[in-house]
Each structure stands twice: as structure tokens, then as C-alpha cells.
Coordinates of all heavy atoms in Angstrom, one line a residue:
M1 N -91.2 -71.3 -24.6 CA -89.8 -71.2 -25.3 C -89.0 -70.2 -24.6 O -89.4 -69.0 -24.2 CB -90.1 -70.7 -26.7 CG -88.9 -70.7 -27.7 SD -89.2 -70.2 -29.3 CE -87.6 -70.5 -30.1
K2 N -87.7 -70.6 -24.5 CA -86.7 -69.7 -23.8 C -86.5 -68.5 -24.6 O -86.2 -68.5 -25.8 CB -85.5 -70.5 -23.6 CG -84.5 -69.8 -22.6 CD -83.2 -70.6 -22.4 CE -82.4 -70.1 -21.3 NZ -82.3 -68.7 -21.2
R3 N -86.6 -67.3 -24.0 CA -86.3 -66.0 -24.7 C -84.8 -65.9 -24.9 O -84.0 -66.3 -24.2 CB -86.8 -64.8 -23.9 CG -88.1 -64.8 -23.3 CD -89.1 -64.5 -24.4 NE -90.4 -64.1 -23.9 CZ -91.4 -65.0 -23.5 NH1 -91.2 -66.2 -23.5 NH2 -92.5 -64.6 -23.0
Y4 N -84.5 -65.4 -26.1 CA -83.1 -64.9 -26.4 C -83.1 -63.6 -27.2 O -84.1 -63.2 -27.6 CB -82.4 -66.0 -27.1 CG -82.7 -66.3 -28.6 CD1 -81.9 -65.8 -29.5 CD2 -83.9 -67.0 -29.0 CE1 -82.2 -66.0 -31.0 CE2 -84.2 -67.2 -30.2 CZ -83.4 -66.7 -31.3 OH -83.8 -66.8 -32.6
S5 N -82.0 -63.1 -27.3 CA -81.8 -61.8 -28.0 C -80.7 -61.9 -29.0 O -79.6 -62.2 -28.7 CB -81.5 -60.6 -26.9 OG -81.0 -59.6 -27.6
I6 N -81.0 -61.4 -30.3 CA -79.9 -61.4 -31.3 C -78.9 -60.3 -31.0 O -77.9 -60.3 -31.5 CB -80.5 -61.1 -32.7 CG1 -81.3 -59.9 -32.7 CG2 -81.4 -62.3 -33.1 CD1 -81.8 -59.5 -34.2
L7 N -79.2 -59.4 -30.0 CA -78.3 -58.4 -29.4 C -77.5 -58.8 -28.2 O -76.8 -58.1 -27.7 CB -78.9 -57.1 -29.4 CG -79.4 -56.3 -30.6 CD1 -80.1 -55.1 -30.3 CD2 -78.2 -56.0 -31.5
N8 N -77.9 -59.9 -27.7 CA -77.3 -60.6 -26.5 C -77.4 -59.6 -25.3 O -76.4 -59.3 -24.7 CB -75.8 -60.9 -26.7 CG -75.8 -62.1 -27.8 OD1 -76.4 -63.1 -27.6 ND2 -74.9 -61.8 -28.8
N9 N -78.5 -59.0 -25.2 CA -78.6 -58.0 -24.1 C -79.8 -58.3 -23.1 O -80.4 -57.4 -22.7 CB -78.8 -56.6 -24.7 CG -80.2 -56.5 -25.5 OD1 -80.8 -57.5 -25.6 ND2 -80.5 -55.4 -25.9
L10 N -80.0 -59.6 -22.8 CA -81.1 -59.9 -21.9 C -80.9 -59.5 -20.4 O -81.7 -59.4 -19.6 CB -81.6 -61.3 -22.0 CG -82.1 -61.7 -23.3 CD1 -82.7 -63.2 -23.2 CD2 -83.2 -60.8 -23.9
D11 N -79.5 -59.4 -20.1 CA -79.1 -59.2 -18.7 C -79.1 -57.7 -18.3 O -79.3 -57.4 -17.1 CB -77.6 -59.6 -18.5 CG -77.5 -61.1 -18.6 OD1 -78.6 -61.8 -18.6 OD2 -76.4 -61.6 -18.9
K12 N -79.0 -56.9 -19.2 CA -79.0 -55.5 -19.0 C -80.1 -54.7 -19.7 O -80.5 -55.1 -20.9 CB -77.7 -54.8 -19.3 CG -76.5 -55.3 -18.6 CD -75.2 -54.5 -18.9 CE -74.1 -55.0 -18.1 NZ -72.8 -54.4 -18.5
C13 N -80.5 -53.5 -19.1 CA -81.6 -52.7 -19.7 C -81.0 -52.1 -21.1 O -79.9 -51.6 -21.0 CB -82.0 -51.7 -18.8 SG -83.1 -50.5 -19.6
F14 N -81.7 -52.3 -22.1 CA -81.3 -51.8 -23.4 C -81.0 -50.2 -23.3 O -80.1 -49.7 -24.0 CB -82.4 -52.0 -24.4 CG -82.1 -51.3 -25.9 CD1 -81.4 -52.2 -26.7 CD2 -82.6 -50.1 -26.2 CE1 -81.1 -51.7 -28.0 CE2 -82.3 -49.6 -27.4 CZ -81.6 -50.3 -28.4
F15 N -81.8 -49.5 -22.4 CA -81.7 -48.0 -22.5 C -80.7 -47.5 -21.4 O -79.8 -46.7 -21.8 CB -83.0 -47.4 -22.2 CG -84.0 -47.7 -23.5 CD1 -85.0 -48.6 -23.4 CD2 -83.8 -46.9 -24.6 CE1 -85.7 -48.8 -24.5 CE2 -84.7 -47.1 -25.8 CZ -85.6 -48.0 -25.7
C16 N -80.8 -48.0 -20.2 CA -80.0 -47.5 -19.1 C -78.8 -48.3 -18.7 O -77.9 -47.8 -17.9 CB -80.9 -47.1 -17.9 SG -81.5 -48.5 -17.0
G17 N -78.8 -49.6 -19.2 CA -77.7 -50.4 -18.8 C -77.7 -51.1 -17.4 O -76.9 -51.8 -17.0
R18 N -78.7 -50.7 -16.6 CA -78.8 -51.3 -15.3 C -79.3 -52.7 -15.5 O -79.8 -53.2 -16.6 CB -79.8 -50.6 -14.4 CG -79.2 -49.2 -14.0 CD -80.2 -48.6 -12.8 NE -81.4 -48.2 -13.4 CZ -81.7 -46.8 -13.5 NH1 -80.9 -45.9 -13.2 NH2 -82.7 -46.5 -14.0
P19 N -79.1 -53.6 -14.4 CA -79.6 -55.0 -14.5 C -81.0 -55.1 -15.0 O -81.9 -54.3 -14.5 CB -79.4 -55.5 -13.1 CG -78.2 -54.8 -12.6 CD -78.5 -53.3 -13.1
A20 N -81.3 -55.9 -16.0 CA -82.7 -56.0 -16.5 C -83.6 -56.6 -15.5 O -83.2 -57.5 -14.7 CB -82.6 -56.9 -17.7
E21 N -84.8 -56.1 -15.5 CA -85.8 -56.7 -14.5 C -86.9 -57.4 -15.2 O -87.8 -58.0 -14.6 CB -86.4 -55.4 -13.8 CG -85.4 -54.6 -12.8 CD -85.9 -53.4 -12.3 OE1 -86.4 -52.6 -13.1 OE2 -85.6 -53.1 -11.1
C22 N -87.0 -57.3 -16.5 CA -87.9 -58.0 -17.4 C -87.4 -58.2 -18.8 O -86.5 -57.5 -19.2 CB -89.2 -57.3 -17.3 SG -89.2 -55.6 -17.9
I23 N -88.1 -59.0 -19.5 CA -87.7 -59.2 -20.9 C -88.9 -58.8 -21.8 O -90.1 -59.2 -21.6 CB -87.4 -60.7 -21.2 CG1 -86.1 -61.0 -20.4 CG2 -87.3 -61.0 -22.7 CD1 -85.7 -62.5 -20.5
H24 N -88.7 -57.9 -22.7 CA -89.7 -57.4 -23.5 C -89.6 -57.9 -25.0 O -88.6 -58.0 -25.5 CB -89.5 -55.8 -23.7 CG -90.2 -55.0 -24.6 ND1 -91.6 -54.9 -24.5 CD2 -89.8 -54.5 -25.7 CE1 -92.0 -54.2 -25.6 NE2 -90.9 -53.9 -26.4
E25 N -90.8 -58.2 -25.6 CA -90.8 -58.7 -26.9 C -90.8 -57.4 -27.8 O -91.9 -56.6 -27.7 CB -92.0 -59.6 -27.3 CG -91.9 -61.0 -26.6 CD -92.6 -60.9 -25.2 OE1 -93.5 -60.2 -24.8 OE2 -92.1 -61.8 -24.3
V26 N -89.8 -57.2 -28.6 CA -89.6 -56.0 -29.3 C -90.7 -55.7 -30.2 O -91.2 -54.5 -30.4 CB -88.2 -55.9 -30.0 CG1 -88.1 -54.7 -30.8 CG2 -87.1 -56.1 -29.0
F27 N -91.2 -56.7 -31.0 CA -92.3 -56.5 -31.9 C -93.5 -57.1 -31.2 O -93.7 -58.4 -31.4 CB -92.0 -57.0 -33.3 CG -90.8 -56.5 -33.9 CD1 -89.5 -57.0 -33.7 CD2 -90.8 -55.2 -34.6 CE1 -88.4 -56.4 -34.2 CE2 -89.7 -54.6 -35.2 CZ -88.4 -55.3 -34.9
F28 N -94.2 -56.4 -30.4 CA -95.3 -57.0 -29.7 C -96.7 -56.9 -30.4 O -96.8 -56.4 -31.6 CB -95.3 -56.4 -28.3 CG -95.3 -54.9 -28.3 CD1 -96.6 -54.2 -28.3 CD2 -94.1 -54.1 -28.1 CE1 -96.5 -52.7 -28.3 CE2 -94.1 -52.7 -28.2 CZ -95.3 -52.1 -28.2
G29 N -97.6 -57.4 -29.9 CA -99.0 -57.5 -30.5 C -99.2 -59.0 -30.8 O -98.2 -59.8 -30.8
T30 N -100.4 -59.3 -31.1 CA -100.8 -60.8 -31.2 C -99.9 -61.6 -31.9 O -99.3 -62.6 -31.4 CB -102.3 -60.9 -31.7 OG1 -103.0 -59.7 -31.2 CG2 -102.9 -62.2 -31.5
A31 N -99.7 -61.4 -33.2 CA -98.9 -62.3 -34.1 C -97.3 -62.1 -33.8 O -96.7 -63.0 -33.8 CB -99.2 -62.1 -35.5
N32 N -97.0 -60.8 -33.8 CA -95.5 -60.5 -33.7 C -94.8 -60.8 -32.4 O -93.7 -61.1 -32.4 CB -95.3 -59.0 -34.0 CG -95.4 -58.7 -35.5 OD1 -95.5 -59.6 -36.3 ND2 -95.6 -57.5 -35.8
R33 N -95.7 -61.0 -31.3 CA -95.0 -61.4 -30.1 C -94.4 -62.8 -30.2 O -93.2 -62.9 -29.8 CB -96.0 -61.4 -28.9 CG -95.6 -61.8 -27.6 CD -96.6 -61.7 -26.6 NE -96.1 -62.1 -25.2 CZ -96.1 -63.4 -24.9 NH1 -96.7 -64.3 -25.7 NH2 -95.7 -63.7 -23.7
R34 N -95.2 -63.7 -30.8 CA -94.6 -65.0 -31.0 C -93.4 -65.1 -31.9 O -92.4 -65.7 -31.6 CB -95.7 -65.9 -31.4 CG -95.3 -67.4 -31.6 CD -96.4 -68.2 -32.2 NE -95.9 -69.4 -32.6 CZ -95.8 -70.5 -31.8 NH1 -96.2 -70.3 -30.6 NH2 -95.3 -71.7 -32.2
I35 N -93.4 -64.3 -33.0 CA -92.4 -64.2 -33.9 C -91.2 -63.5 -33.2 O -90.1 -64.0 -33.5 CB -92.8 -63.3 -35.2 CG1 -94.0 -64.1 -35.9 CG2 -91.6 -62.9 -36.1 CD1 -94.6 -63.3 -37.0
S36 N -91.3 -62.6 -32.4 CA -90.3 -61.9 -31.7 C -89.5 -63.0 -30.9 O -88.3 -63.1 -30.8 CB -90.8 -60.9 -30.8 OG -91.2 -59.7 -31.6
I37 N -90.3 -63.8 -30.1 CA -89.8 -64.9 -29.3 C -89.0 -65.8 -30.0 O -87.8 -66.2 -29.7 CB -90.9 -65.5 -28.4 CG1 -91.5 -64.5 -27.5 CG2 -90.4 -66.8 -27.7 CD1 -92.8 -65.0 -26.8
E38 N -89.5 -66.3 -31.2 CA -88.8 -67.3 -32.0 C -87.6 -66.8 -32.7 O -86.7 -67.6 -33.0 CB -89.9 -67.8 -33.1 CG -91.0 -68.6 -32.6 CD -92.1 -69.0 -33.5 OE1 -92.1 -68.4 -34.7 OE2 -92.9 -69.8 -33.2
N39 N -87.5 -65.5 -33.0 CA -86.5 -65.0 -33.7 C -85.4 -64.2 -32.9 O -84.5 -63.5 -33.5 CB -87.0 -64.1 -34.8 CG -87.6 -65.0 -36.0 OD1 -86.9 -65.5 -36.8 ND2 -88.8 -65.1 -35.8
G40 N -85.6 -64.2 -31.6 CA -84.6 -63.4 -30.8 C -84.9 -62.0 -30.7 O -83.9 -61.2 -30.4
F41 N -86.0 -61.5 -31.0 CA -86.3 -60.1 -30.9 C -86.8 -59.7 -29.6 O -87.9 -59.3 -29.3 CB -87.3 -59.6 -32.0 CG -86.9 -59.9 -33.4 CD1 -88.0 -60.2 -34.3 CD2 -85.7 -59.8 -33.8 CE1 -87.6 -60.5 -35.6 CE2 -85.3 -60.1 -35.2 CZ -86.2 -60.5 -36.0
C42 N -85.9 -60.0 -28.5 CA -86.3 -59.8 -27.1 C -85.2 -58.9 -26.5 O -84.0 -59.0 -26.9 CB -86.4 -61.1 -26.3 SG -87.8 -62.2 -26.9
A43 N -85.6 -58.0 -25.5 CA -84.7 -57.1 -25.0 C -84.9 -57.1 -23.5 O -85.9 -57.1 -22.9 CB -85.0 -55.7 -25.5
G44 N -83.7 -57.0 -22.7 CA -83.8 -56.8 -21.3 C -84.2 -55.3 -21.1 O -83.6 -54.4 -21.8
L45 N -85.0 -55.1 -20.1 CA -85.4 -53.7 -19.8 C -85.5 -53.7 -18.2 O -85.8 -54.7 -17.6 CB -86.6 -53.3 -20.4 CG -86.7 -53.1 -21.9 CD1 -88.1 -52.9 -22.3 CD2 -85.8 -52.1 -22.5
C46 N -85.4 -52.4 -17.7 CA -85.7 -52.2 -16.3 C -87.2 -51.9 -16.4 O -87.8 -51.5 -17.4 CB -85.0 -51.0 -15.7 SG -85.3 -49.4 -16.5
H47 N -87.9 -52.1 -15.2 CA -89.3 -51.8 -15.2 C -89.7 -50.5 -15.6 O -90.7 -50.3 -16.4 CB -90.0 -52.2 -13.8 CG -90.0 -53.7 -13.5 ND1 -90.5 -54.6 -14.3 CD2 -89.5 -54.3 -12.4 CE1 -90.4 -55.7 -13.8 NE2 -89.8 -55.6 -12.6
R48 N -89.0 -49.5 -15.2 CA -89.2 -48.1 -15.4 C -89.3 -47.8 -17.0 O -90.2 -47.2 -17.4 CB -88.3 -47.2 -14.8 CG -88.7 -45.7 -14.8 CD -87.6 -45.0 -13.9 NE -86.2 -45.1 -14.3 CZ -85.6 -44.5 -15.3 NH1 -86.3 -43.5 -15.9 NH2 -84.4 -44.7 -15.6
E49 N -88.3 -48.3 -17.7 CA -88.3 -48.1 -19.1 C -89.1 -49.1 -19.9 O -89.3 -49.0 -21.2 CB -86.9 -48.0 -19.5 CG -86.3 -46.7 -19.1 CD -84.8 -46.5 -19.3 OE1 -84.1 -47.4 -19.0 OE2 -84.4 -45.4 -19.7
H50 N -89.6 -50.1 -19.2 CA -90.6 -51.1 -19.9 C -91.9 -50.5 -20.0 O -92.5 -50.3 -21.1 CB -90.5 -52.4 -19.2 CG -91.4 -53.4 -19.9 ND1 -92.3 -54.2 -19.2 CD2 -91.5 -53.8 -21.2 CE1 -92.9 -55.0 -20.1 NE2 -92.5 -54.8 -21.3
N51 N -92.5 -50.2 -18.8 CA -93.9 -49.7 -18.9 C -94.4 -48.8 -17.7 O -95.5 -48.4 -17.5 CB -94.9 -50.8 -19.1 CG -94.9 -51.9 -18.0 OD1 -94.2 -51.6 -17.0 ND2 -95.5 -53.1 -18.2
L52 N -93.3 -48.6 -16.8 CA -93.8 -48.0 -15.6 C -93.6 -46.3 -15.6 O -93.9 -45.7 -14.6 CB -92.9 -48.5 -14.4 CG -93.4 -49.8 -13.8 CD1 -92.6 -50.1 -12.5 CD2 -94.9 -49.9 -13.6
S53 N -93.1 -45.8 -16.7 CA -93.0 -44.4 -16.8 C -93.5 -43.9 -18.1 O -93.7 -44.8 -19.0 CB -91.6 -43.9 -16.4 OG -90.8 -44.2 -17.5
N54 N -93.6 -42.7 -18.3 CA -94.0 -42.2 -19.7 C -92.8 -42.3 -20.6 O -93.0 -42.4 -21.8 CB -94.4 -40.7 -19.5 CG -95.8 -40.5 -18.9 OD1 -96.6 -41.4 -19.0 ND2 -96.1 -39.4 -18.3
K55 N -91.6 -42.4 -20.1 CA -90.4 -42.7 -20.9 C -90.2 -44.2 -20.9 O -89.3 -44.7 -20.3 CB -89.3 -41.9 -20.4 CG -89.2 -40.4 -20.8 CD -88.8 -40.3 -22.3 CE -89.0 -39.0 -22.8 NZ -88.9 -39.1 -24.3
S56 N -91.0 -45.0 -21.5 CA -91.0 -46.4 -21.5 C -91.4 -46.9 -23.0 O -92.2 -46.1 -23.7 CB -91.9 -47.0 -20.5 OG -93.2 -46.8 -20.7
V57 N -90.9 -48.0 -23.3 CA -91.3 -48.6 -24.6 C -92.7 -48.7 -24.9 O -93.1 -48.6 -26.1 CB -90.4 -49.8 -25.0 CG1 -89.1 -49.6 -25.2 CG2 -90.7 -50.9 -24.0
H58 N -93.5 -49.0 -23.9 CA -95.0 -49.2 -24.1 C -95.8 -47.9 -24.1 O -96.9 -47.9 -24.6 CB -95.5 -50.1 -23.2 CG -95.2 -51.6 -23.4 ND1 -95.8 -52.3 -24.5 CD2 -94.4 -52.5 -22.8 CE1 -95.4 -53.5 -24.4 NE2 -94.4 -53.7 -23.5
K59 N -95.0 -46.7 -23.8 CA -95.7 -45.5 -23.8 C -95.1 -44.4 -24.7 O -95.7 -43.4 -24.9 CB -95.9 -44.9 -22.3 CG -96.7 -45.9 -21.5 CD -96.8 -45.5 -20.1 CE -97.7 -46.5 -19.3 NZ -97.6 -46.2 -17.8
D60 N -93.9 -44.6 -25.0 CA -93.1 -43.5 -25.8 C -92.8 -44.2 -27.1 O -92.0 -45.1 -27.3 CB -91.9 -43.2 -25.0 CG -91.1 -42.0 -25.7 OD1 -90.9 -42.2 -27.0 OD2 -90.9 -41.0 -25.1
R61 N -93.5 -43.6 -28.2 CA -93.3 -44.1 -29.5 C -91.9 -44.1 -30.0 O -91.5 -45.0 -30.6 CB -94.2 -43.3 -30.5 CG -94.2 -43.7 -31.9 CD -94.9 -45.0 -32.2 NE -94.9 -45.4 -33.5 CZ -94.8 -46.7 -34.0 NH1 -94.7 -47.6 -33.1 NH2 -94.8 -47.0 -35.2
E62 N -91.1 -43.0 -29.6 CA -89.7 -42.9 -30.1 C -88.9 -44.0 -29.5 O -88.0 -44.5 -30.2 CB -89.2 -41.5 -29.7 CG -89.6 -40.4 -30.6 CD -89.4 -40.8 -32.1 OE1 -88.3 -41.2 -32.4 OE2 -90.4 -40.7 -32.9
M63 N -89.1 -44.2 -28.2 CA -88.3 -45.4 -27.6 C -88.7 -46.7 -28.2 O -87.7 -47.5 -28.5 CB -88.6 -45.4 -26.1 CG -87.9 -44.3 -25.3 SD -88.4 -44.3 -23.6 CE -87.4 -45.7 -23.0
D64 N -89.9 -46.9 -28.4 CA -90.4 -48.1 -29.1 C -89.6 -48.3 -30.5 O -89.1 -49.3 -30.9 CB -91.9 -48.0 -29.3 CG -92.4 -49.3 -29.9 OD1 -92.0 -50.4 -29.7 OD2 -93.5 -49.1 -30.6
L65 N -89.7 -47.1 -31.3 CA -89.1 -47.2 -32.6 C -87.5 -47.4 -32.5 O -86.9 -48.1 -33.3 CB -89.3 -45.9 -33.3 CG -90.8 -45.8 -33.9 CD1 -91.0 -44.4 -34.5 CD2 -91.0 -46.9 -34.9
K66 N -86.9 -46.8 -31.5 CA -85.5 -46.9 -31.4 C -85.1 -48.4 -31.2 O -84.1 -49.0 -31.8 CB -84.9 -46.1 -30.2 CG -83.5 -46.0 -30.1 CD -83.1 -45.1 -28.9 CE -81.5 -45.1 -28.7 NZ -81.2 -44.3 -27.6
L67 N -85.8 -49.0 -30.4 CA -85.6 -50.5 -30.1 C -85.9 -51.3 -31.4 O -85.0 -52.2 -31.7 CB -86.5 -50.9 -28.9 CG -86.2 -52.1 -28.2 CD1 -84.9 -52.2 -27.6 CD2 -87.3 -52.4 -27.1
K68 N -87.0 -51.1 -32.0 CA -87.4 -51.9 -33.1 C -86.4 -51.7 -34.3 O -85.9 -52.7 -34.9 CB -88.7 -51.4 -33.7 CG -90.0 -51.9 -32.7 CD -91.2 -51.4 -33.3 CE -92.4 -52.1 -32.9 NZ -92.9 -51.9 -31.5
R69 N -85.9 -50.5 -34.4 CA -84.9 -50.2 -35.5 C -83.5 -51.0 -35.2 O -82.9 -51.6 -36.1 CB -84.6 -48.7 -35.7 CG -85.8 -48.1 -36.4 CD -85.5 -46.6 -36.4 NE -86.7 -45.9 -37.0 CZ -87.3 -44.8 -36.6 NH1 -86.7 -44.1 -35.6 NH2 -88.3 -44.3 -37.2
A70 N -83.1 -51.0 -33.9 CA -81.9 -51.6 -33.5 C -82.0 -53.1 -33.8 O -80.9 -53.8 -34.4 CB -81.6 -51.5 -32.1
Y71 N -83.2 -53.8 -33.6 CA -83.3 -55.2 -33.9 C -83.5 -55.4 -35.4 O -82.9 -56.5 -35.9 CB -84.5 -55.7 -33.1 CG -84.1 -56.0 -31.7 CD1 -83.9 -55.0 -30.7 CD2 -83.8 -57.3 -31.3 CE1 -83.4 -55.2 -29.5 CE2 -83.4 -57.5 -29.9 CZ -83.2 -56.6 -29.1 OH -82.8 -56.8 -27.8
Q72 N -84.1 -54.6 -36.1 CA -84.2 -54.8 -37.5 C -82.9 -54.7 -38.1 O -82.4 -55.5 -39.0 CB -85.2 -53.7 -38.2 CG -85.4 -54.0 -39.7 CD -86.3 -53.2 -40.4 OE1 -87.2 -52.4 -39.8 NE2 -86.3 -53.1 -41.7
K73 N -82.0 -53.7 -37.8 CA -80.7 -53.6 -38.3 C -79.8 -54.8 -38.0 O -79.1 -55.3 -38.9 CB -80.0 -52.3 -37.7 CG -80.4 -51.0 -38.4 CD -79.7 -49.8 -37.9 CE -80.2 -48.6 -38.3 NZ -79.9 -47.4 -37.4
E74 N -79.9 -55.3 -36.8 CA -79.2 -56.5 -36.5 C -79.6 -57.7 -37.3 O -78.8 -58.4 -37.9 CB -79.3 -56.8 -35.0 CG -78.4 -57.9 -34.5 CD -76.9 -57.6 -34.6 OE1 -76.5 -56.4 -34.6 OE2 -76.0 -58.6 -34.6
Y75 N -80.9 -57.9 -37.4 CA -81.4 -58.9 -38.3 C -81.0 -58.9 -39.7 O -80.6 -59.8 -40.4 CB -83.0 -58.9 -38.2 CG -83.7 -60.1 -38.9 CD1 -83.8 -61.2 -38.2 CD2 -84.1 -59.9 -40.2 CE1 -84.4 -62.4 -38.9 CE2 -84.8 -61.0 -40.8 CZ -84.9 -62.2 -40.1 OH -85.5 -63.2 -40.8
M76 N -80.8 -57.6 -40.2 CA -80.6 -57.4 -41.6 C -79.0 -57.6 -41.8 O -78.6 -57.5 -43.1 CB -81.0 -56.0 -42.1 CG -82.6 -56.2 -42.3 SD -83.3 -54.5 -42.9 CE -82.3 -54.0 -44.0
K77 N -78.3 -57.8 -40.9 CA -76.8 -58.2 -41.0 C -76.7 -59.6 -41.6 O -75.8 -59.9 -42.3 CB -76.1 -58.2 -39.7 CG -75.8 -56.8 -39.2 CD -74.9 -56.8 -37.9 CE -74.7 -55.4 -37.5 NZ -74.1 -55.4 -36.1
T78 N -77.7 -60.4 -41.4 CA -77.7 -61.8 -41.9 C -79.0 -62.1 -42.8 O -79.1 -63.3 -43.3 CB -77.7 -62.8 -40.7 OG1 -78.8 -62.4 -39.7 CG2 -76.3 -62.8 -40.1
H79 N -79.8 -61.2 -42.9 CA -81.1 -61.4 -43.7 C -81.3 -60.1 -44.6 O -80.8 -59.1 -44.3 CB -82.3 -61.7 -42.9 CG -82.1 -62.9 -42.0 ND1 -81.4 -62.9 -40.8 CD2 -82.7 -64.1 -42.1 CE1 -81.5 -64.1 -40.2 NE2 -82.2 -64.8 -41.1
T80 N -82.2 -60.3 -45.5 CA -82.5 -59.1 -46.4 C -83.8 -58.4 -45.7 O -84.4 -58.9 -44.8 CB -83.0 -59.6 -47.9 OG1 -84.2 -60.4 -47.6 CG2 -82.0 -60.4 -48.5
K81 N -83.9 -57.2 -46.3 CA -85.0 -56.4 -45.8 C -86.3 -57.1 -46.1 O -87.3 -57.0 -45.3 CB -85.0 -55.0 -46.4 CG -85.9 -54.0 -46.0 CD -85.7 -52.7 -46.6 CE -86.5 -51.5 -46.0 NZ -86.2 -50.2 -46.6
E82 N -86.4 -57.7 -47.3 CA -87.7 -58.4 -47.8 C -87.9 -59.5 -46.7 O -89.1 -59.8 -46.4 CB -87.5 -59.0 -49.1 CG -87.5 -57.9 -50.2 CD -86.3 -57.0 -50.2 OE1 -85.2 -57.4 -49.8 OE2 -86.5 -55.8 -50.5
E83 N -86.9 -60.2 -46.3 CA -87.1 -61.3 -45.3 C -87.8 -60.7 -43.9 O -88.6 -61.3 -43.4 CB -85.8 -62.1 -44.9 CG -85.5 -63.0 -46.1 CD -84.2 -63.6 -45.9 OE1 -83.1 -63.0 -45.8 OE2 -84.1 -64.9 -45.8
F84 N -87.1 -59.6 -43.6 CA -87.7 -59.0 -42.4 C -89.2 -58.6 -42.5 O -90.0 -58.8 -41.6 CB -86.9 -57.7 -42.0 CG -87.4 -57.0 -40.7 CD1 -87.0 -57.5 -39.5 CD2 -88.2 -56.0 -40.8 CE1 -87.5 -57.0 -38.4 CE2 -88.7 -55.4 -39.6 CZ -88.4 -55.9 -38.4
I85 N -89.5 -58.1 -43.6 CA -90.9 -57.6 -43.9 C -91.8 -58.8 -43.9 O -93.0 -58.7 -43.4 CB -91.0 -56.8 -45.1 CG1 -90.2 -55.4 -45.0 CG2 -92.5 -56.4 -45.5 CD1 -90.1 -54.5 -46.2
R86 N -91.3 -59.9 -44.5 CA -92.1 -61.1 -44.6 C -92.5 -61.5 -43.2 O -93.6 -62.1 -42.9 CB -91.4 -62.3 -45.3 CG -92.4 -63.1 -46.3 CD -91.5 -64.0 -47.0 NE -90.7 -63.3 -48.0 CZ -89.4 -63.6 -48.4 NH1 -88.9 -64.7 -47.9 NH2 -88.8 -63.0 -49.3
L87 N -91.5 -61.4 -42.3 CA -91.7 -61.9 -40.9 C -92.5 -60.9 -40.0 O -93.5 -61.3 -39.4 CB -90.3 -61.9 -40.3 CG -90.0 -62.9 -39.1 CD1 -90.3 -64.2 -39.5 CD2 -88.4 -62.7 -38.8
I88 N -92.3 -59.6 -40.1 CA -92.9 -58.7 -39.2 C -93.9 -57.9 -39.8 O -94.9 -57.3 -39.1 CB -91.7 -57.8 -38.6 CG1 -90.8 -58.5 -37.7 CG2 -92.4 -56.6 -37.8 CD1 -91.4 -59.2 -36.5
G89 N -94.1 -57.8 -41.1 CA -95.1 -57.1 -41.8 C -94.8 -55.8 -42.3 O -95.5 -55.3 -43.3
K90 N -93.7 -55.1 -41.8 CA -93.3 -53.9 -42.4 C -91.8 -53.5 -41.9 O -91.3 -54.2 -41.0 CB -94.2 -52.7 -41.9 CG -94.2 -52.6 -40.4 CD -95.1 -51.4 -39.9 CE -94.3 -50.1 -39.8 NZ -95.0 -49.1 -39.2
S91 N -91.2 -52.5 -42.6 CA -90.0 -52.2 -42.2 C -90.0 -51.0 -41.3 O -90.9 -50.0 -41.6 CB -89.1 -51.8 -43.4 OG -87.9 -51.2 -43.1
Y92 N -89.1 -50.8 -40.3 CA -89.1 -49.7 -39.4 C -88.0 -48.7 -39.7 O -87.7 -47.8 -39.0 CB -89.1 -50.1 -38.0 CG -90.4 -50.7 -37.5 CD1 -90.5 -52.1 -37.7 CD2 -91.3 -49.9 -37.0 CE1 -91.8 -52.7 -37.3 CE2 -92.5 -50.5 -36.5 CZ -92.7 -51.9 -36.7 OH -93.9 -52.5 -36.3
L93 N -87.2 -49.1 -40.8 CA -86.0 -48.2 -41.1 C -86.4 -47.2 -42.2 O -87.3 -47.4 -43.0 CB -84.9 -49.1 -41.6 CG -84.4 -50.1 -40.6 CD1 -83.3 -51.0 -41.2 CD2 -83.9 -49.4 -39.4
Ligands
ZN101 ZN1 -83.6 -49.0 -18.0
ZN102 ZN1 -93.2 -55.4 -23.1

């Protein structure tokens, strides 16, 4: 399935704005990865901020949360919090 982003940011890194080098599933893990792909919870990232440094979404909890919150907020512009929780299992806000 083709990745898309509800924030329309697959071309640029979410954090530094440089051209994206990879696409990250914002709510990763076994079940949520697929849900992320289906619902546009995907983000463009540079490799460094994806997983190649300690300041990356896979290693820094704060960066991970910042990304997750941005997508939950965007999703809740058109859906309820309950719908988000039904999808992802919990709220990050
Ligand atoms: Zn970056
Ligand atoms: Zn990733």
C-alpha cells in the first residue's frame, strides 16, 4: 500500500525540514504499523532523525511523542478522541 501522510509531509523531514530520506510509520509496532499506513500516519524523516542518532524517533522518547501528538491532533480535526483510541489503543495527548 502506498504510504501517505495526513500532514502532507512525506517529502521533507518532520524535524529538520531537509529532504526526507525515509518514511516512518508514526505508530509503529506489530499492529499499529499497518494502521499507520492505512490512515496516513506516516512521516518523512532524514536517516539521522529516524534511527541513526540518539536524537531520533526510534531512540528518543520525546521526539517519538512529539511526532505522535502532531498526528493525533491532526486526526482529531476530523475524528473524535474515542475514534483515535479505538484505532491506536491509547491517547498521546
Ligand atoms: Zn531531519
Ligand atoms: Zn521508523
